[in-house]
Amino acid sequence: YKQTSISERHRHRFEFNNKFKDLLEKNGLKATGINKERNLVEIVELEKHPWYIAVQFHPEFKSKPLAPHPLFLNFIKAALKHRGAH
């Protein structure tokens, strides 16, 4: 995103359990997107993985065939970069 603030459509039934946040972060998971108003983790990444991201929002709602959402575009770029690596 390369931005300090983003707006995404949030609609789901599950939440990240902040009780485990410190333990998960000590083991490589980074909470990189936090809803400051509600103290909810919205985005997590794995620090030592070439491309791992999990989100609590729906990026498909802001994606178009000729203007893909940054998550989809960067996933494809990472897949092309690392193809054949395993």
Side-chain angles (χ1 to χ4, degrees), residues 32-80:
T32 55
I34 310 254
N35 178 328
K36 292 181 182 180
E37 293 173 9
R38 300 180 65 204
N39 193 32
L40 295 175
V41 175
E42 298 285 352
I43 305 169
V44 295
E45 298 179 49
L46 283 179
E47 211 166 357
K48 294 181 181 177
H49 192 279
W51 198 95
Y52 178 97
I53 188 167
V55 299
Q56 288 280 63
F57 53 83
H58 293 271
E60 68 273 18
F61 293 136
K62 287 192 171 180
S63 196
K64 298 176 185 170
L66 298 177
H69 188 281
L71 290 180
F72 299 136
L73 183 61
N74 285 294
F75 175 71
I76 298 299
K77 286 179 182 179
L80 291 171

Side-chain angles (χ1 to χ4, degrees), residues 2 6 19 66:
K2 297 181 181 171
I6 63 170
K19 180 169 71 172
L66 298 177

Side-chain angles (χ1 to χ4, degrees), residues 5 11 16 22 32-33 38 48 61 65 71 81 84 86:
S5 180
R11 185 177 152 237
F16 183 93
D22 289 339
T32 55
R38 300 180 65 204
K48 294 181 181 177
F61 293 136
L71 290 180
K81 180 180 177 182
H86 297 284

Side-chain angles (χ1 to χ4, degrees), residues 24-35:
L24 291 167
E25 288 188 323
K26 286 178 187 173
N27 287 282
L29 190 77
K30 286 179 67 178
T32 55
I34 310 254
N35 178 328

